[in-house]
Amino acid sequence: MWKWTCLVSHLLLSTTVSPLGRQQPPHPKRPFITFTGEQAEGNFNHLVVDERTGHIYLGAVNRIYKLSSDLKVLVTHETGPDDDNPKCYPPRIVQTCNEPLTPTNNINKMLLIDYKENRLIACGSLYQGICKLLRLDDLFKLGEPFHKKEHYLSGVNESGSVFGVIVSYSNMDDKLFIATAVDGKPEYFPTISSRKLTKNSEADGMFAYVFHDEFVASMIKIPSDTFTIIPDFDIYYIYGFSSGNFVYFLTLQPEMISPPGSTTKEQVYTSKLVRLCKEDTAFNSYVEVPIGCEKNGVEYRLLQAAYLSKAGAILARSLGVGPEDDILFTVFSKGQKRKMKSLDESALCIFVLKNINDRIKDRLQSCYRGEGSLDLAWLKVKDIPCSSAVSEAPEHPPCPPHVQTGFIFR
């Protein structure tokens, strides 16, 4: 059994010596530039910065802002409110809805810069999560696809429920990997999918699944049987990124465990890293592994935030890696409840991405040898021994054209 503590011992490279909440010596006062939104309810949800111009794009409630690097408002685009009801599927802009409609705020749930096509992808909470494609220069609406079920990305009406990763190509349309909580509606929304990003923002195929036939599609859905065991089950996506041949998502997932000495089960949350091959249109390469860290015997299991960056010269020397190696910075809190109690119970943990991939590769090989089991609790509602799930390890690399079957490990 590949338990969380085993992953810690192989992946943890560094943790802050003190909790994040410890007071630091005061710095001399310096002026700060501030920006305030137009409306009282205009909470900020997401922020992205154009790496080429330094312009800042803010996704807020009912607004998208474009700011200069010194936080001056350059353009504003209104996204709401509008009459809606979360029970309307398809949304009322497609067909008449018998549910009562009320003025509803549009909460920004995803904000991405599509550099290749010079546009902003802004997805909100209205109409089951449809998206606008806005021109970066002036936030002019280039497209707003809404007439197909593929255009409804998420019905969860809260920020932070959707994460997107763009995979770019020089000679073909880009892909958009979407990961989202489903809020008990797995029949409407896949939890992970890969979509087409067409050059034409108004094209009929915008956000269509990269591959879809009668039996297989570029998506993963949570089976309805899962909700009979954990009624409020969902997968909460904290962060996503691409590196090398893979796309990664960091998640929080509920599971039922029996505390020591207890005959009853209670719900806790486990942090897991999900990995997929960029070119795997059938999602056969899906791998899911627990992730966490410990310091001085204290375990930090509840992921709060993450960010991928290059090591840089100074950190690279201390970690024994190259300055261009990918480093995953994560913040974990103590315990296994979903909400963090206090920053005083948190730690900053650093992982070398190559080490994570090496550990996944080792575990894949051991599973092909029949060691341990596939932790398919949410996907198959039971564990499957590795020996009965696979026959032999492939000799090919783990991504297409020879896709290696992926697993969810315990």
Side-chain angles (χ1 to χ4, degrees):
M1 302 289 283
W2 191 38
K3 295 186 181 295
W4 175 87
T5 50
C6 178
L7 182 70
V8 169
S9 65
H10 282 79
L11 296 186
L12 178 63
L13 297 176
S14 175
T15 309
T16 51
V17 175
S18 60
L20 293 180
R22 177 168 293 183
Q23 295 292 322
Q24 300 296 326
H27 292 282
K29 290 184 178 181
R30 55 182 179 177
F32 288 96
I33 302 173
T34 62
F35 167 74
T36 304
E38 297 178 14
Q39 298 177 319
E41 76 272 15
N43 295 330
F44 300 142
N45 306 128
H46 295 96
L47 180 152
V48 291
V49 179
D50 190 327
E51 298 174 352
R52 304 164 303 183
T53 65
H55 289 150
I56 300 164
Y57 297 87
L58 279 176
V61 176
N62 298 328
R63 296 284 189 278
I64 303 294
Y65 297 96
K66 178 181 179 180
L67 309 178
S68 63
S69 57
D70 58 354
L71 304 189
K72 297 290 191 302
V73 178
L74 302 177
V75 188
T76 301
H77 182 93
E78 186 173 307
T79 60
D82 204 353
D83 291 341
D84 195 16
N85 187 308
K87 295 181 180 179
C88 293
Y89 187 97
R92 61 102 180 162
I93 55 176
V94 176
Q95 69 179 38
T96 302
C97 179
N98 294 325
E99 301 291 340
L101 302 176
T102 58
T104 305
N105 286 333
N106 195 0
I107 301 168
N108 179 253
K109 295 197 295 186
M110 187 176 76
L111 197 66
L112 294 173
I113 294 179
D114 181 355
Y115 287 103
K116 183 177 177 181
E117 302 302 335
N118 197 44
R119 62 193 175 189
L120 189 70
I121 303 173
C123 306
S125 58
L126 283 178
Y127 313 134
Q128 304 297 336
I130 65 171
C131 303
K132 288 186 176 184
L133 297 111
L134 308 175
R135 191 162 56 202
L136 287 178
D137 294 341
D138 54 7
L139 298 186
F140 173 80
K141 187 176 75 172
L142 301 171
E144 187 178 19
F146 62 84
H147 59 284
K148 289 185 174 182
K149 64 180 180 180
E150 290 88 351
H151 299 151
Y152 317 136
L153 300 188
S154 173
V156 182
N157 291 321
E158 61 182 71
S159 177
S161 57
V162 182
F163 222 100
V165 176
I166 295 175
V167 176
S168 294
Y169 301 89
S170 58
N171 58 349
M172 58 185 287
D173 286 341
D174 292 350
K175 293 179 186 176
L176 173 63
F177 282 80
I178 293 288
T180 177
V182 301
D183 195 29
K185 303 172 186 174
E187 68 275 19
Y188 295 150
F189 307 105
T191 188
I192 295 184
S193 59
S194 61
R195 313 298 188 101
K196 296 178 181 178
L197 270 184
T198 58
K199 182 179 179 66
N200 182 356
S201 297
E202 296 181 314
D204 190 57
M206 177 65 76
F207 299 138
Y209 298 114
V210 170
F211 179 78
H212 194 290
D213 67 13
E214 186 178 356
F215 304 104
V216 180
S218 302
M219 70 169 84
I220 292 179
K221 287 192 172 184
I222 300 174
S224 57
D225 288 350
T226 300
F227 296 92
T228 63
I229 298 175
I230 307 179
D232 60 344
F233 181 87
D234 219 329
I235 300 177
Y236 303 95
Y237 294 89
I238 309 300
Y239 184 61
F241 61 93
S242 66
S243 177
N245 293 325
F246 301 106
V247 171
Y248 302 80
F249 292 101
L250 288 158
T251 73
L252 279 179
Q253 301 180 24
E255 61 181 13
M256 304 301 291
I257 65 168
S258 297
S262 175
T263 57
T264 61
K265 290 188 175 183
E266 67 176 12
Q267 180 173 303
V268 298
Y269 285 85
T270 298
S271 302
K272 294 186 178 181
L273 179 143
V274 170
R275 191 188 75 175
L276 283 159
C277 291
K278 289 180 179 178
E279 309 306 319
D280 178 12
T281 58
F283 282 21
N284 292 321
S285 60
Y286 183 99
V287 177
E288 183 181 285
V289 294
I291 187 169
C293 53
E294 68 174 11
K295 182 70 174 180
N296 298 329
V298 178
E299 295 179 345
Y300 298 87
R301 299 191 181 198
L302 197 63
L303 182 68
Q304 300 296 325
Y307 187 75
L308 187 79
S309 182
K310 299 299 182 182
I314 297 175
L315 183 59
R317 285 196 297 270
S318 65
L319 297 178
V321 299
E324 291 300 309
D325 283 1
D326 283 333
I327 302 296
L328 184 61
F329 297 86
T330 60
V331 175
F332 287 88
S333 62
K334 288 167 58 177
Q336 286 190 274
K337 303 299 181 182
R338 187 184 173 198
K339 298 299 183 182
M340 181 173 58
K341 293 180 180 179
S342 169
L343 281 174
D344 291 333
E345 298 179 330
S346 300
L348 172 66
C349 308
I350 301 171
F351 300 87
V352 176
L353 191 60
K354 179 181 180 301
N355 291 357
I356 294 178
N357 287 323
D358 288 346
R359 187 69 182 113
I360 291 175
K361 179 180 177 181
D362 291 343
R363 185 60 187 97
L364 280 169
Q365 297 300 321
S366 68
C367 191
Y368 279 112
R369 294 192 297 268
E371 301 171 8
S373 65
L374 310 184
D375 181 12
L376 300 171
W378 70 265
L379 192 58
K380 297 294 185 183
V381 200
K382 63 179 181 179
D383 287 350
I384 300 176
C386 282
S387 57
S388 64
V390 295
S391 54
E392 61 182 44
E395 297 179 358
H396 304 296
C399 280
H402 309 289
V403 175
Q404 184 178 35
T405 301
F407 310 107
I408 303 150
F409 293 124
R410 171 172 292 176

